[in-house]
Amino acid sequence: ETGVTQSPTHLIKTRGQQVTLRCSSQSGHNTVSWYQQALGQGPQFIFQYYREEENGRGNFPPRFSGLQFPNYSSELNVNALELDDSALYLCASSFGGRGGYTFGSGTRLTVV
Amino acid sequence: KNEVEQSPQNLTAQEGEFITINCSYSVGISALHWLQQHPGGGIVSLFMLSSGKKKHGRLIATINIQEKHSSLHITASHPRDSAVYICAVAGTASKLTFGTGTRLQVTL
């Protein structure tokens, strides 16, 4: 049984650029949620994907977008990066958005 | 006021001490999760509770649905328990709402 894998682990981007973060879900899970964790804060919900459709979204602007693929892996895309986008981005998979969650180790994004 | 409040924010204990971390929430939930986050950032799920009490090794988690309160206890604490412990609630929507975490440091 594989866990959740996120890539890359670290990333440095320049303000205004675009970034794509990737997440593979745990075997048997069909739902992926993305969270943003600023330094010293708890994670904040960005959005969730269930069976390739967005299934709930937090208070993030449209420049945060995502995809889920038929194998339930997912991407998070952020356009027009801002300095405040610097954070740890966490991905969690689950079955149907309920029950136990398996978290990835996160991607640390730094925007300079 | 945050939907999920944890206390204390920071906690220092000596090895062997009994530790309690508290979590209060203000919304209806379907489940409450206790999570552990190490300095590298990765999160490990410790417990998922919807009622009562669960135990795993030296960790015990309890929840009181009527009082909207949960506690995580660590018995015989050890330096390797040093981490950030986060309480998260699953409401009727599909997302988890997190507390800001309790930073625990256990010293020799």
Side-chain angles (χ1 to χ4, degrees), chain A residues 28-75:
Chain A
H29 286 178
N30 58 10
T31 304
V32 172
S33 305
W34 286 92
Y35 295 86
Q36 181 195 65
Q37 186 178 24
L39 200 61
Q41 302 294 317
Q44 298 292 316
F45 176 70
I46 303 175
F47 44 55
Q48 181 184 89
Y49 277 83
Y50 170 64
R51 292 186 175 179
E52 303 179 56
E53 297 285 333
E54 189 178 287
N55 180 42
R57 187 180 181 94
N59 189 26
F60 281 81
R63 59 190 185 83
F64 285 77
S65 63
L67 282 175
Q68 187 178 33
F69 300 99
N71 66 354
Y72 303 122
S73 66
S74 177
E75 286 183 354

Side-chain angles (χ1 to χ4, degrees), chain B residues 89-101:
Chain B
V89 299
T92 52
S94 51
K95 66 174 185 175
L96 288 178
T97 301
F98 292 77
T100 53

Side-chain angles (χ1 to χ4, degrees), chain B residues 2 6 46 50 66 70 79 81 98 103:
Chain B
N2 292 332
Q6 282 186 240
L46 299 174
S50 54
Q66 287 73 32
S70 176
D81 297 327
F98 292 77
R103 186 174 300 276

Side-chain angles (χ1 to χ4, degrees), chain A residues 4 23 34 36 43 70 72 79 88 97:
Chain A
V4 172
C23 170
W34 286 92
Q36 181 195 65
Y72 303 122
N79 293 321
L88 179 70

Side-chain angles (χ1 to χ4, degrees), chain B:
Chain B
K1 188 178 187 300
N2 292 332
E3 290 180 339
V4 181
E5 298 273 358
Q6 282 186 240
S7 64
Q9 288 187 314
N10 295 283
L11 184 56
T12 300
Q14 284 197 316
E15 185 178 10
E17 285 187 8
F18 180 85
I19 288 162
T20 296
I21 299 170
N22 295 299
C23 174
S24 296
Y25 54 92
S26 57
V27 296
I29 67 169
S30 59
L32 181 144
H33 298 255
W34 280 103
L35 309 165
Q36 181 191 57
Q37 186 170 35
H38 282 278
I43 288 180
V44 173
S45 180
L46 299 174
F47 294 103
M48 183 179 73
L49 294 162
S50 54
S51 65
K53 174 180 170 178
K54 286 190 176 180
K55 183 176 190 293
H56 181 69
R58 295 180 294 106
L59 301 178
I60 303 166
T62 63
I63 188 168
N64 184 319
I65 298 292
Q66 287 73 32
E67 295 187 2
K68 293 187 166 62
H69 181 269
S70 176
S71 294
L72 175 69
H73 306 285
I74 305 175
T75 62
S77 59
H78 189 276
R80 65 174 173 267
D81 297 327
S82 298
V84 176
Y85 292 84
I86 303 174
C87 168
V89 299
T92 52
S94 51
K95 66 174 185 175
L96 288 178
T97 301
F98 292 77
T100 53
T102 294
R103 186 174 300 276
L104 171 65
Q105 179 151 2
V106 181
T107 60
L108 292 169

